[in-house]
Amino acid sequence: PRSGCLTTILRWACGAAAAVSPGSTECQPSRRMSSILTLFVSSSQTSVRSERRFDKGLTIATLKGKLEMITGCAAATMTIKVCDSTGKYVCVLDNNDAMLGSYPVENLMELQVSDSDPSVNVNFSDLSKVKKYEMTDEDYAKRDDSVMAFKKRNQIGRFDPSVAAQREQESQEQDQEGEEEAKAIKVGERCEVTNPGKGTNRGQVMYVGKTDFQPGWWVGIKYDEPVGKHNGSVKGRQYFTCADKYGGFVRPACVKTGDYPEESILTDEDEM
């Protein structure tokens, strides 16, 4: 009986020692589980925010060494500010000899790491400041160890003769698109234009032919109302002249020519 009581007392003492004495060597598993903190790490050097786990028994000096590998900030000039989950300031880890657990740091708080040395305070996420090697298209085409050179040798993709022939045929078909319909349309004729989803609008044919902005045949229209997109000029070329927002281009298939007089706009005085 005495032996049983002694065993019970020892077990109770072991648990109590583990709870009040972090340095105890007994009951290490339960102590170790409670000594791990899950924290977020952010840095002035990068926009990346990562989740890390640290032991409360780490000294701040050791912690800075670990954070140097994560953030790129030098441990010697590192400042660590602690904020809670809402972003509220908690404290600064400023004693290198103190342990992490001696500060009021809790799970899911954030360690905001910065480097006090202005000469190394560089944002590594800003790629615009990184000097890049650039190669012209001509120099790239001359190389025999490039992806383009590999495709040429093996006739892959656009370098496949059959693909090139197909693209040439498609290009010719696009260039001839609308030619037959365009032959029946004359400059100066009155017309009615049907735009899918936009209804019909009347106007006058001002241009029939090919353009620089798209392959195929196009008809330039001077609308009776400001339903167009321009004044007859597209990408620096003046195809015809009209008031701004009265000009537009459509495919010949959208145009019907004939007796389409300008529709009068009734005012309140004209209504009966």
mmCIF file of all heavy atoms in Angstrom, residues 132-177:
data_model
loop_
_atom_site.group_PDB
_atom_site.id
_atom_site.type_symbol
_atom_site.label_atom_id
_atom_site.label_comp_id
_atom_site.label_asym_id
_atom_site.label_seq_id
_atom_site.Cartn_x
_atom_site.Cartn_y
_atom_site.Cartn_z
ATOM 1 N N LYS A 132 18.168 42.864 -66.598
ATOM 2 C CA LYS A 132 17.850 41.671 -67.382
ATOM 3 C C LYS A 132 18.638 41.668 -68.685
ATOM 4 O O LYS A 132 18.926 42.716 -69.261
ATOM 5 C CB LYS A 132 16.341 41.623 -67.698
ATOM 6 C CG LYS A 132 15.469 41.677 -66.454
ATOM 7 C CD LYS A 132 14.011 41.759 -66.839
ATOM 8 C CE LYS A 132 13.130 41.883 -65.610
ATOM 9 N NZ LYS A 132 13.373 43.143 -64.878
ATOM 10 N N TYR A 133 18.949 40.473 -69.137
ATOM 11 C CA TYR A 133 19.616 40.324 -70.427
ATOM 12 C C TYR A 133 18.559 40.282 -71.522
ATOM 13 O O TYR A 133 17.615 39.499 -71.442
ATOM 14 C CB TYR A 133 20.451 39.044 -70.457
ATOM 15 C CG TYR A 133 21.066 38.761 -71.816
ATOM 16 C CD1 TYR A 133 22.157 39.494 -72.275
ATOM 17 C CD2 TYR A 133 20.528 37.780 -72.646
ATOM 18 C CE1 TYR A 133 22.701 39.247 -73.514
ATOM 19 C CE2 TYR A 133 21.074 37.526 -73.885
ATOM 20 C CZ TYR A 133 22.167 38.263 -74.315
ATOM 21 O OH TYR A 133 22.712 38.021 -75.555
ATOM 22 N N GLU A 134 18.696 41.136 -72.500
ATOM 23 C CA GLU A 134 17.737 41.190 -73.591
ATOM 24 C C GLU A 134 18.425 40.846 -74.908
ATOM 25 O O GLU A 134 19.561 41.253 -75.154
ATOM 26 C CB GLU A 134 17.114 42.594 -73.674
ATOM 27 C CG GLU A 134 16.301 42.961 -72.436
ATOM 28 C CD GLU A 134 15.639 44.310 -72.560
ATOM 29 O OE1 GLU A 134 15.846 44.968 -73.610
ATOM 30 O OE2 GLU A 134 14.925 44.723 -71.626
ATOM 31 N N MET A 135 17.693 40.130 -75.749
ATOM 32 C CA MET A 135 18.219 39.696 -77.044
ATOM 33 C C MET A 135 17.242 40.096 -78.141
ATOM 34 O O MET A 135 16.036 39.928 -77.999
ATOM 35 C CB MET A 135 18.414 38.169 -77.046
ATOM 36 C CG MET A 135 18.967 37.611 -78.347
ATOM 37 S SD MET A 135 19.059 35.789 -78.323
ATOM 38 C CE MET A 135 20.222 35.523 -76.981
ATOM 39 N N THR A 136 17.751 40.638 -79.213
ATOM 40 C CA THR A 136 16.895 41.031 -80.325
ATOM 41 C C THR A 136 16.386 39.787 -81.050
ATOM 42 O O THR A 136 16.975 38.698 -80.944
ATOM 43 C CB THR A 136 17.653 41.920 -81.307
ATOM 44 O OG1 THR A 136 18.747 41.167 -81.884
ATOM 45 C CG2 THR A 136 18.215 43.155 -80.596
ATOM 46 N N ASP A 137 15.302 39.952 -81.797
ATOM 47 C CA ASP A 137 14.748 38.830 -82.562
ATOM 48 C C ASP A 137 15.738 38.323 -83.599
ATOM 49 O O ASP A 137 15.814 37.110 -83.869
ATOM 50 C CB ASP A 137 13.449 39.266 -83.250
ATOM 51 C CG ASP A 137 12.343 39.573 -82.251
ATOM 52 O OD1 ASP A 137 12.446 39.083 -81.110
ATOM 53 O OD2 ASP A 137 11.398 40.294 -82.623
ATOM 54 N N GLU A 138 16.525 39.237 -84.173
ATOM 55 C CA GLU A 138 17.504 38.842 -85.183
ATOM 56 C C GLU A 138 18.595 37.968 -84.575
ATOM 57 O O GLU A 138 18.983 36.933 -85.148
ATOM 58 C CB GLU A 138 18.124 40.083 -85.841
ATOM 59 C CG GLU A 138 17.169 40.893 -86.702
ATOM 60 C CD GLU A 138 16.219 41.756 -85.878
ATOM 61 O OE1 GLU A 138 16.436 41.868 -84.639
ATOM 62 O OE2 GLU A 138 15.260 42.295 -86.449
ATOM 63 N N ASP A 139 19.104 38.372 -83.400
ATOM 64 C CA ASP A 139 20.149 37.578 -82.747
ATOM 65 C C ASP A 139 19.610 36.229 -82.295
ATOM 66 O O ASP A 139 20.312 35.213 -82.361
ATOM 67 C CB ASP A 139 20.713 38.343 -81.547
ATOM 68 C CG ASP A 139 21.514 39.570 -81.966
ATOM 69 O OD1 ASP A 139 21.982 39.597 -83.127
ATOM 70 O OD2 ASP A 139 21.665 40.499 -81.142
ATOM 71 N N TYR A 140 18.359 36.211 -81.831
ATOM 72 C CA TYR A 140 17.764 34.949 -81.396
ATOM 73 C C TYR A 140 17.606 33.990 -82.575
ATOM 74 O O TYR A 140 17.847 32.787 -82.446
ATOM 75 C CB TYR A 140 16.414 35.212 -80.739
ATOM 76 C CG TYR A 140 15.707 33.957 -80.267
ATOM 77 C CD1 TYR A 140 16.153 33.269 -79.144
ATOM 78 C CD2 TYR A 140 14.597 33.465 -80.945
ATOM 79 C CE1 TYR A 140 15.520 32.109 -78.705
ATOM 80 C CE2 TYR A 140 13.961 32.310 -80.515
ATOM 81 C CZ TYR A 140 14.424 31.641 -79.402
ATOM 82 O OH TYR A 140 13.802 30.488 -78.975
ATOM 83 N N ALA A 141 17.220 34.533 -83.719
ATOM 84 C CA ALA A 141 17.022 33.685 -84.904
ATOM 85 C C ALA A 141 18.332 33.076 -85.402
ATOM 86 O O ALA A 141 18.324 32.028 -86.061
ATOM 87 C CB ALA A 141 16.377 34.504 -86.015
ATOM 88 N N LYS A 142 19.456 33.704 -85.078
ATOM 89 C CA LYS A 142 20.765 33.200 -85.539
ATOM 90 C C LYS A 142 21.286 32.060 -84.660
ATOM 91 O O LYS A 142 22.188 31.333 -85.090
ATOM 92 C CB LYS A 142 21.781 34.343 -85.544
ATOM 93 C CG LYS A 142 21.472 35.432 -86.561
ATOM 94 C CD LYS A 142 22.480 36.572 -86.439
ATOM 95 C CE LYS A 142 22.146 37.706 -87.402
ATOM 96 N NZ LYS A 142 23.085 38.851 -87.253
ATOM 97 N N ARG A 143 20.767 31.893 -83.488
ATOM 98 C CA ARG A 143 21.257 30.860 -82.573
ATOM 99 C C ARG A 143 20.808 29.481 -83.038
ATOM 100 O O ARG A 143 19.712 29.310 -83.560
ATOM 101 C CB ARG A 143 20.756 31.116 -81.150
ATOM 102 C CG ARG A 143 21.230 32.435 -80.551
ATOM 103 C CD ARG A 143 20.729 32.577 -79.128
ATOM 104 N NE ARG A 143 21.311 31.586 -78.257
ATOM 105 C CZ ARG A 143 22.421 31.770 -77.522
ATOM 106 N NH1 ARG A 143 23.046 32.931 -77.582
ATOM 107 N NH2 ARG A 143 22.887 30.816 -76.751
ATOM 108 N N ASP A 144 21.688 28.499 -82.822
ATOM 109 C CA ASP A 144 21.348 27.124 -83.210
ATOM 110 C C ASP A 144 21.041 26.248 -81.998
ATOM 111 O O ASP A 144 20.855 25.042 -82.129
ATOM 112 C CB ASP A 144 22.487 26.498 -84.024
ATOM 113 C CG ASP A 144 23.815 26.495 -83.265
ATOM 114 O OD1 ASP A 144 23.837 26.938 -82.098
ATOM 115 O OD2 ASP A 144 24.829 26.051 -83.841
ATOM 116 N N ASP A 145 20.994 26.868 -80.788
ATOM 117 C CA ASP A 145 20.692 26.115 -79.573
ATOM 118 C C ASP A 145 19.412 26.600 -78.911
ATOM 119 O O ASP A 145 19.207 26.416 -77.707
ATOM 120 C CB ASP A 145 21.849 26.227 -78.578
ATOM 121 C CG ASP A 145 22.165 27.670 -78.189
ATOM 122 O OD1 ASP A 145 21.628 28.584 -78.856
ATOM 123 O OD2 ASP A 145 22.950 27.879 -77.245
ATOM 124 N N SER A 146 18.540 27.209 -79.705
ATOM 125 C CA SER A 146 17.297 27.754 -79.162
ATOM 126 C C SER A 146 16.124 26.832 -79.474
ATOM 127 O O SER A 146 16.233 25.884 -80.255
ATOM 128 C CB SER A 146 17.026 29.141 -79.754
ATOM 129 O OG SER A 146 16.830 29.040 -81.155
ATOM 130 N N VAL A 147 14.984 27.133 -78.849
ATOM 131 C CA VAL A 147 13.761 26.382 -79.126
ATOM 132 C C VAL A 147 13.343 26.566 -80.581
ATOM 133 O O VAL A 147 12.893 25.619 -81.244
ATOM 134 C CB VAL A 147 12.632 26.837 -78.177
ATOM 135 C CG1 VAL A 147 11.317 26.152 -78.530
ATOM 136 C CG2 VAL A 147 12.989 26.546 -76.730
ATOM 137 N N MET A 148 13.507 27.798 -81.099
ATOM 138 C CA MET A 148 13.157 28.049 -82.488
ATOM 139 C C MET A 148 14.003 27.198 -83.433
ATOM 140 O O MET A 148 13.491 26.615 -84.405
ATOM 141 C CB MET A 148 13.352 29.533 -82.827
ATOM 142 C CG MET A 148 13.010 29.868 -84.277
ATOM 143 S SD MET A 148 13.407 31.571 -84.721
ATOM 144 C CE MET A 148 12.190 32.447 -83.749
ATOM 145 N N ALA A 149 15.307 27.103 -83.146
ATOM 146 C CA ALA A 149 16.187 26.295 -83.993
ATOM 147 C C ALA A 149 15.784 24.827 -83.951
ATOM 148 O O ALA A 149 15.806 24.129 -84.977
ATOM 149 C CB ALA A 149 17.631 26.466 -83.545
ATOM 150 N N PHE A 150 15.396 24.338 -82.756
ATOM 151 C CA PHE A 150 14.942 22.951 -82.620
ATOM 152 C C PHE A 150 13.686 22.706 -83.446
ATOM 153 O O PHE A 150 13.553 21.684 -84.132
ATOM 154 C CB PHE A 150 14.692 22.645 -81.144
ATOM 155 C CG PHE A 150 14.095 21.290 -80.886
ATOM 156 C CD1 PHE A 150 14.881 20.156 -80.877
ATOM 157 C CD2 PHE A 150 12.725 21.144 -80.678
ATOM 158 C CE1 PHE A 150 14.333 18.902 -80.651
ATOM 159 C CE2 PHE A 150 12.168 19.907 -80.447
ATOM 160 C CZ PHE A 150 12.970 18.783 -80.439
ATOM 161 N N LYS A 151 12.735 23.645 -83.399
ATOM 162 C CA LYS A 151 11.501 23.499 -84.160
ATOM 163 C C LYS A 151 11.772 23.540 -85.663
ATOM 164 O O LYS A 151 11.130 22.825 -86.438
ATOM 165 C CB LYS A 151 10.515 24.596 -83.772
ATOM 166 C CG LYS A 151 9.923 24.428 -82.381
ATOM 167 C CD LYS A 151 8.876 25.489 -82.099
ATOM 168 C CE LYS A 151 8.199 25.253 -80.757
ATOM 169 N NZ LYS A 151 7.140 26.263 -80.486
ATOM 170 N N LYS A 152 12.719 24.372 -86.078
ATOM 171 C CA LYS A 152 13.061 24.439 -87.495
ATOM 172 C C LYS A 152 13.648 23.116 -87.972
ATOM 173 O O LYS A 152 13.286 22.613 -89.036
ATOM 174 C CB LYS A 152 14.054 25.568 -87.737
ATOM 175 C CG LYS A 152 13.453 26.966 -87.709
ATOM 176 C CD LYS A 152 14.527 28.005 -88.013
ATOM 177 C CE LYS A 152 13.940 29.409 -88.052
ATOM 178 N NZ LYS A 152 14.984 30.432 -88.326
ATOM 179 N N ARG A 153 14.575 22.562 -87.187
ATOM 180 C CA ARG A 153 15.222 21.310 -87.580
ATOM 181 C C ARG A 153 14.226 20.162 -87.661
ATOM 182 O O ARG A 153 14.333 19.291 -88.533
ATOM 183 C CB ARG A 153 16.333 20.957 -86.581
ATOM 184 C CG ARG A 153 17.564 21.831 -86.676
ATOM 185 C CD ARG A 153 18.723 21.235 -85.895
ATOM 186 N NE ARG A 153 18.423 21.113 -84.477
ATOM 187 C CZ ARG A 153 18.697 22.040 -83.571
ATOM 188 N NH1 ARG A 153 19.271 23.179 -83.949
ATOM 189 N NH2 ARG A 153 18.403 21.846 -82.299
ATOM 190 N N ASN A 154 13.244 20.172 -86.762
ATOM 191 C CA ASN A 154 12.283 19.064 -86.705
ATOM 192 C C ASN A 154 10.940 19.404 -87.345
ATOM 193 O O ASN A 154 10.006 18.601 -87.259
ATOM 194 C CB ASN A 154 12.076 18.651 -85.247
ATOM 195 C CG ASN A 154 13.327 18.078 -84.616
ATOM 196 O OD1 ASN A 154 13.628 16.902 -84.752
ATOM 197 N ND2 ASN A 154 14.064 18.927 -83.905
ATOM 198 N N GLN A 155 10.856 20.595 -87.979
ATOM 199 C CA GLN A 155 9.643 21.027 -88.681
ATOM 200 C C GLN A 155 8.410 20.891 -87.788
ATOM 201 O O GLN A 155 7.436 20.218 -88.112
ATOM 202 C CB GLN A 155 9.460 20.223 -89.965
ATOM 203 C CG GLN A 155 10.578 20.438 -90.986
ATOM 204 C CD GLN A 155 10.336 19.715 -92.289
ATOM 205 O OE1 GLN A 155 9.517 18.807 -92.372
ATOM 206 N NE2 GLN A 155 11.039 20.126 -93.336
ATOM 207 N N ILE A 156 8.494 21.562 -86.638
ATOM 208 C CA ILE A 156 7.417 21.515 -85.658
ATOM 209 C C ILE A 156 6.676 22.842 -85.654
ATOM 210 O O ILE A 156 7.272 23.900 -85.833
ATOM 211 C CB ILE A 156 7.977 21.226 -84.246
ATOM 212 C CG1 ILE A 156 8.679 19.865 -84.233
ATOM 213 C CG2 ILE A 156 6.878 21.258 -83.196
ATOM 214 C CD1 ILE A 156 9.378 19.564 -82.922
ATOM 215 N N GLY A 157 5.359 22.770 -85.428
ATOM 216 C CA GLY A 157 4.566 23.985 -85.320
ATOM 217 C C GLY A 157 4.507 24.769 -86.614
ATOM 218 O O GLY A 157 4.243 24.225 -87.679
ATOM 219 N N ARG A 158 4.780 26.066 -86.525
ATOM 220 C CA ARG A 158 4.688 26.914 -87.716
ATOM 221 C C ARG A 158 5.763 26.614 -88.747
ATOM 222 O O ARG A 158 5.690 27.113 -89.876
ATOM 223 C CB ARG A 158 4.754 28.385 -87.313
ATOM 224 C CG ARG A 158 6.023 28.817 -86.597
ATOM 225 C CD ARG A 158 5.846 30.196 -86.021
ATOM 226 N NE ARG A 158 6.979 30.653 -85.230
ATOM 227 C CZ ARG A 158 7.938 31.464 -85.669
ATOM 228 N NH1 ARG A 158 7.909 31.884 -86.924
ATOM 229 N NH2 ARG A 158 8.911 31.841 -84.873
ATOM 230 N N PHE A 159 6.744 25.797 -88.376
ATOM 231 C CA PHE A 159 7.794 25.428 -89.331
ATOM 232 C C PHE A 159 7.464 24.126 -90.068
ATOM 233 O O PHE A 159 8.241 23.664 -90.884
ATOM 234 C CB PHE A 159 9.136 25.291 -88.610
ATOM 235 C CG PHE A 159 9.560 26.551 -87.906
ATOM 236 C CD1 PHE A 159 9.492 26.661 -86.529
ATOM 237 C CD2 PHE A 159 9.989 27.660 -88.637
ATOM 238 C CE1 PHE A 159 9.856 27.818 -85.886
ATOM 239 C CE2 PHE A 159 10.358 28.826 -87.996
ATOM 240 C CZ PHE A 159 10.298 28.916 -86.617
ATOM 241 N N ASP A 160 6.318 23.548 -89.749
ATOM 242 C CA ASP A 160 5.830 22.381 -90.464
ATOM 243 C C ASP A 160 5.286 22.854 -91.813
ATOM 244 O O ASP A 160 4.394 23.714 -91.853
ATOM 245 C CB ASP A 160 4.731 21.698 -89.648
ATOM 246 C CG ASP A 160 4.235 20.405 -90.279
ATOM 247 O OD1 ASP A 160 4.491 20.196 -91.483
ATOM 248 O OD2 ASP A 160 3.586 19.618 -89.575
ATOM 249 N N PRO A 161 5.784 22.327 -92.940
ATOM 250 C CA PRO A 161 5.328 22.781 -94.265
ATOM 251 C C PRO A 161 3.818 22.692 -94.440
ATOM 252 O O PRO A 161 3.206 23.582 -95.044
ATOM 253 C CB PRO A 161 6.054 21.838 -95.230
ATOM 254 C CG PRO A 161 7.268 21.397 -94.480
ATOM 255 C CD PRO A 161 6.848 21.317 -93.047
ATOM 256 N N SER A 162 3.202 21.649 -93.896
ATOM 257 C CA SER A 162 1.754 21.513 -94.056
ATOM 258 C C SER A 162 1.015 22.589 -93.272
ATOM 259 O O SER A 162 -0.004 23.121 -93.723
ATOM 260 C CB SER A 162 1.316 20.125 -93.585
ATOM 261 O OG SER A 162 1.608 19.940 -92.200
ATOM 262 N N VAL A 163 1.527 22.940 -92.103
ATOM 263 C CA VAL A 163 0.907 23.995 -91.305
ATOM 264 C C VAL A 163 1.069 25.335 -91.995
ATOM 265 O O VAL A 163 0.144 26.155 -92.048
ATOM 266 C CB VAL A 163 1.524 24.038 -89.892
ATOM 267 C CG1 VAL A 163 1.002 25.240 -89.120
ATOM 268 C CG2 VAL A 163 1.222 22.749 -89.143
ATOM 269 N N ALA A 164 2.257 25.573 -92.553
ATOM 270 C CA ALA A 164 2.507 26.829 -93.257
ATOM 271 C C ALA A 164 1.585 26.979 -94.459
ATOM 272 O O ALA A 164 1.043 28.060 -94.727
ATOM 273 C CB ALA A 164 3.964 26.900 -93.698
ATOM 274 N N ALA A 165 1.369 25.867 -95.182
ATOM 275 C CA ALA A 165 0.489 25.912 -96.345
ATOM 276 C C ALA A 165 -0.952 26.182 -95.930
ATOM 277 O O ALA A 165 -1.672 26.952 -96.580
ATOM 278 C CB ALA A 165 0.573 24.585 -97.099
ATOM 279 N N GLN A 166 -1.359 25.576 -94.815
ATOM 280 C CA GLN A 166 -2.721 25.796 -94.312
ATOM 281 C C GLN A 166 -2.915 27.244 -93.893
ATOM 282 O O GLN A 166 -3.955 27.853 -94.172
ATOM 283 C CB GLN A 166 -2.996 24.851 -93.146
ATOM 284 C CG GLN A 166 -4.404 24.989 -92.575
ATOM 285 C CD GLN A 166 -4.648 24.042 -91.401
ATOM 286 O OE1 GLN A 166 -3.792 23.233 -91.057
ATOM 287 N NE2 GLN A 166 -5.811 24.153 -90.795
ATOM 288 N N ARG A 167 -1.925 27.802 -93.233
ATOM 289 C CA ARG A 167 -2.034 29.201 -92.807
ATOM 290 C C ARG A 167 -2.045 30.144 -93.997
ATOM 291 O O ARG A 167 -2.748 31.154 -93.986
ATOM 292 C CB ARG A 167 -0.866 29.541 -91.873
ATOM 293 C CG ARG A 167 -0.962 28.880 -90.514
ATOM 294 C CD ARG A 167 0.146 29.333 -89.594
ATOM 295 N NE ARG A 167 0.002 28.766 -88.259
ATOM 296 C CZ ARG A 167 0.857 28.975 -87.256
ATOM 297 N NH1 ARG A 167 1.923 29.744 -87.465
ATOM 298 N NH2 ARG A 167 0.658 28.436 -86.080
ATOM 299 N N GLU A 168 -1.292 29.806 -95.018
ATOM 300 C CA GLU A 168 -1.289 30.639 -96.217
ATOM 301 C C GLU A 168 -2.652 30.618 -96.886
ATOM 302 O O GLU A 168 -3.156 31.654 -97.343
ATOM 303 C CB GLU A 168 -0.216 30.131 -97.188
ATOM 304 C CG GLU A 168 -0.137 30.890 -98.500
ATOM 305 C CD GLU A 168 0.268 32.333 -98.319
ATOM 306 O OE1 GLU A 168 0.921 32.647 -97.303
ATOM 307 O OE2 GLU A 168 -0.070 33.160 -99.204
ATOM 308 N N GLN A 169 -3.278 29.441 -96.904
ATOM 309 C CA GLN A 169 -4.612 29.326 -97.499
ATOM 310 C C GLN A 169 -5.625 30.123 -96.682
ATOM 311 O O GLN A 169 -6.478 30.825 -97.252
ATOM 312 C CB GLN A 169 -5.029 27.857 -97.562
ATOM 313 C CG GLN A 169 -6.399 27.636 -98.193
ATOM 314 C CD GLN A 169 -6.783 26.163 -98.260
ATOM 315 O OE1 GLN A 169 -5.983 25.291 -97.923
ATOM 316 N NE2 GLN A 169 -8.002 25.887 -98.684
ATOM 317 N N GLU A 170 -5.545 30.030 -95.357
ATOM 318 C CA GLU A 170 -6.456 30.778 -94.497
ATOM 319 C C GLU A 170 -6.264 32.272 -94.676
ATOM 320 O O GLU A 170 -7.231 33.043 -94.674
ATOM 321 C CB GLU A 170 -6.231 30.385 -93.039
ATOM 322 C CG GLU A 170 -6.659 28.961 -92.709
ATOM 323 C CD GLU A 170 -6.315 28.575 -91.283
ATOM 324 O OE1 GLU A 170 -5.610 29.383 -90.609
ATOM 325 O OE2 GLU A 170 -6.722 27.492 -90.833
ATOM 326 N N SER A 171 -5.009 32.686 -94.839
ATOM 327 C CA SER A 171 -4.722 34.102 -95.034
ATOM 328 C C SER A 171 -5.324 34.609 -96.339
ATOM 329 O O SER A 171 -5.883 35.714 -96.396
ATOM 330 C CB SER A 171 -3.208 34.330 -95.022
ATOM 331 O OG SER A 171 -2.892 35.679 -95.273
ATOM 332 N N GLN A 172 -5.233 33.802 -97.391
ATOM 333 C CA GLN A 172 -5.817 34.186 -98.680
ATOM 334 C C GLN A 172 -7.335 34.264 -98.586
ATOM 335 O O GLN A 172 -7.953 35.175 -99.161
ATOM 336 C CB GLN A 172 -5.393 33.184 -99.757
ATOM 337 C CG GLN A 172 -3.911 33.230 -100.102
ATOM 338 C CD GLN A 172 -3.527 32.215 -101.154
ATOM 339 O OE1 GLN A 172 -4.359 31.437 -101.633
ATOM 340 N NE2 GLN A 172 -2.247 32.179 -101.523
ATOM 341 N N GLU A 173 -7.929 33.319 -97.861
ATOM 342 C CA GLU A 173 -9.385 33.336 -97.717
ATOM 343 C C GLU A 173 -9.837 34.567 -96.946
ATOM 344 O O GLU A 173 -10.854 35.191 -97.290
ATOM 345 C CB GLU A 173 -9.838 32.062 -97.007
ATOM 346 C CG GLU A 173 -9.659 30.794 -97.846
ATOM 347 C CD GLU A 173 -10.020 29.541 -97.074
ATOM 348 O OE1 GLU A 173 -10.286 29.664 -95.845
ATOM 349 O OE2 GLU A 173 -10.028 28.443 -97.663
ATOM 350 N N GLN A 174 -9.088 34.930 -95.906
ATOM 351 C CA GLN A 174 -9.431 36.132 -95.142
ATOM 352 C C GLN A 174 -9.273 37.382 -95.992
ATOM 353 O O GLN A 174 -10.056 38.321 -95.884
ATOM 354 C CB GLN A 174 -8.538 36.224 -93.898
ATOM 355 C CG GLN A 174 -8.851 35.183 -92.840
ATOM 356 C CD GLN A 174 -7.918 35.292 -91.644
ATOM 357 O OE1 GLN A 174 -6.931 36.032 -91.665
ATOM 358 N NE2 GLN A 174 -8.209 34.544 -90.592
ATOM 359 N N ASP A 175 -8.249 37.376 -96.843
ATOM 360 C CA ASP A 175 -7.991 38.549 -97.671
ATOM 361 C C ASP A 175 -9.091 38.742 -98.715
ATOM 362 O O ASP A 175 -9.348 39.862 -99.161
ATOM 363 C CB ASP A 175 -6.633 38.392 -98.361
ATOM 364 C CG ASP A 175 -6.158 39.685 -98.983
ATOM 365 O OD1 ASP A 175 -6.103 40.705 -98.274
ATOM 366 O OD2 ASP A 175 -5.842 39.689 -100.196
ATOM 367 N N GLN A 176 -9.731 37.648 -99.109
ATOM 368 C CA GLN A 176 -10.783 37.713 -100.124
ATOM 369 C C GLN A 176 -12.182 37.794 -99.515
ATOM 370 O O GLN A 176 -13.166 37.896 -100.257
ATOM 371 C CB GLN A 176 -10.699 36.486 -101.040
ATOM 372 C CG GLN A 176 -9.399 36.411 -101.839
ATOM 373 C CD GLN A 176 -9.245 35.097 -102.591
ATOM 374 O OE1 GLN A 176 -10.117 34.224 -102.501
ATOM 375 N NE2 GLN A 176 -8.147 34.946 -103.316
ATOM 376 N N GLU A 177 -12.271 37.743 -98.209
ATOM 377 C CA GLU A 177 -13.569 37.741 -97.542
ATOM 378 C C GLU A 177 -14.369 38.998 -97.884
ATOM 379 O O GLU A 177 -13.875 40.118 -97.755
ATOM 380 C CB GLU A 177 -13.391 37.663 -96.026
ATOM 381 C CG GLU A 177 -14.697 37.583 -95.260
ATOM 382 C CD GLU A 177 -14.490 37.515 -93.755
ATOM 383 O OE1 GLU A 177 -13.324 37.420 -93.322
ATOM 384 O OE2 GLU A 177 -15.487 37.570 -93.025
#
